[in-house]
Amino acid sequence: MPQDEALCIAAELDPPFTILGAQSQRAPIVFNSPHSGRVYPSVFLAASRLSAQALRKSEDAYVEQLLNAVPAHGAVLMHAHFPRAYVDINREPYELDPLLFSGRLPDFVNSQSLRAIGGLGTIARIVNEKEEIYPGPLALDTALVRIENLYKPYHAALGDLLQTSRARFGAAFLFDCHSMPSQQAERGGWPDFVLGDRFGASCAPEITRLVMALLKGLGYRVGLNKPYAGGYITEHFGKPQQGVHALQIEVDRSIYMNEETFEKTPAFEGLQRDMSHLVSTLVQELPRWSGGYKVAAE
């Protein structure tokens, strides 16, 4: 029932997300990890036909830990505690799959997007491309409780971070970080990282090229916009003409973890150090590449 859902969220997801580095911010850079949440609410596990381990197949495991040095470099790190299988904040607020809900959906719902129809809307119907999460349809009120209590506060806080950064420094840079399942069959040509700038619409090309050059300089294979051009967060917040740039960064899970057991591999710490180097360099270089931004008052 919706009341049980709300009570569970209040008890088990308080707070629903973490923001680190906002008080010591020295650069207008926000790193965001919306899909690395690992707190699976008990009401969700009870409603699902899948085990917690199976539900984790959609999780961007440990991405926020790969970025743990972000605050030390003067940038901000935001990450969700709840999993994307519970509510996906990289979707429109009401991008809902009509097959998942009983009854007719309201007119404000977008039920025709490819993501919603494919079972990967704001409230996912499937994980791992084919496994149904629920044994039957959900009540729409269940989705609305998750959206009101988790999705909307997260987006409001992220928007505030970017607005504050832009007002304080004259520009804002959002790096929306995710992990992608490996494609072992295509390992020879499959990139370690995929950058997504909505084909140039969400981020100035100079910034995209800078991040690509930095990652390649660290020895990684880097793709651009294929197969991931950026999701709703990148599209919604990326407004280069208004001084807000958003770039999605996808990293291959197999280069830092075992995708079956979810255990970190010995390569995790090396990737963590490389991400620290990336952040440090971006803090130093972005003024030159973006035309400069105001230095914050001491």
Side-chain angles (χ1 to χ4, degrees):
M1 295 180 62
Q3 185 178 6
D4 295 335
E5 200 93 21
L7 290 172
C8 184
I9 289 171
E12 299 177 22
L13 285 164
D14 182 21
F17 51 83
T18 289
I19 297 172
L20 300 170
Q23 300 306 312
S24 56
Q25 185 180 10
R26 301 189 304 274
I29 296 173
V30 177
F31 278 81
N32 180 46
S33 178
H35 287 164
S36 58
R38 294 183 290 282
V39 179
Y40 286 77
S42 56
V43 69
F44 177 43
L45 294 175
S48 172
R49 56 181 290 275
L50 301 177
S51 67
Q53 189 80 349
L55 289 169
R56 292 194 70 187
K57 291 290 186 181
S58 69
E59 183 185 302
D60 289 349
Y62 314 120
V63 166
E64 89 287 358
Q65 293 181 21
L66 289 171
L67 301 167
N68 70 342
V70 166
H73 293 301
V76 177
L77 172 61
M78 181 173 183
H79 65 90
H81 295 171
F82 51 91
R84 70 181 299 189
Y86 188 56
V87 56
D88 192 339
I89 44 185
N90 199 23
R91 300 289 184 262
E92 298 174 25
Y94 302 105
E95 197 170 353
L96 302 178
D97 178 357
L99 294 180
L100 182 56
F101 298 96
S102 54
R104 184 180 180 276
L105 294 176
D107 291 340
F108 62 79
V109 167
N110 178 2
S111 61
Q112 299 304 311
S113 77
L114 292 177
R115 293 177 298 209
I117 292 171
L120 296 172
T122 317
I123 309 299
R125 177 172 52 84
I126 62 172
V127 296
N128 200 27
E129 299 185 355
K130 59 184 180 299
E131 295 179 89
E132 298 278 342
I133 295 175
Y134 304 97
L138 298 179
L140 177 63
D141 284 349
T142 298
L144 298 181
V145 166
R146 299 181 195 179
I147 291 166
E148 291 296 325
N149 288 276
L150 297 172
Y151 180 104
K152 288 186 176 180
Y154 194 101
H155 270 264
L158 181 56
D160 286 346
L161 286 174
L162 295 172
Q163 270 195 333
T164 300
S165 295
R166 181 168 160 256
R168 182 180 176 192
F169 298 96
F173 304 92
L174 171 63
F175 297 97
D176 199 47
C177 298
H178 301 260
S179 68
M180 56 187 177
S182 65
Q183 300 293 325
Q184 296 295 340
E186 302 177 27
R187 196 70 198 109
W190 185 253
D192 301 309
F193 287 86
V194 174
L195 306 181
D197 64 2
R198 305 295 299 179
F199 298 96
S202 68
C203 183
E206 295 86 354
I207 297 168
T208 303
R209 288 197 293 266
L210 172 61
V211 176
M212 180 174 287
L214 289 170
L215 290 171
K216 286 184 175 180
L218 291 167
Y220 297 105
R221 294 169 294 188
V222 186
L224 177 61
N225 288 321
K226 294 180 182 179
Y228 306 107
Y232 177 74
I233 289 174
T234 309
E235 179 182 15
H236 178 69
F237 289 108
K239 295 177 172 57
Q241 68 280 6
Q242 298 177 24
V244 181
H245 303 266
L247 181 68
Q248 181 172 289
I249 301 176
E250 296 266 2
V251 58
D252 186 333
R253 292 171 192 158
S254 70
I255 70 172
Y256 71 90
M257 63 175 277
N258 182 307
E259 294 180 89
E260 295 301 319
T261 66
F262 298 94
E263 294 177 354
K264 300 171 189 174
T265 63
F268 182 89
E269 290 185 2
L271 179 57
Q272 196 177 49
R273 285 192 298 271
D274 287 343
M275 295 307 292
S276 177
H277 174 76
L278 174 72
V279 177
S280 174
T281 308
L282 288 174
V283 168
Q284 297 170 27
E285 293 292 323
L286 275 178
R288 180 168 66 86
W289 287 95
S290 64
Y293 50 72
K294 293 185 296 183
V295 177
E298 295 297 332

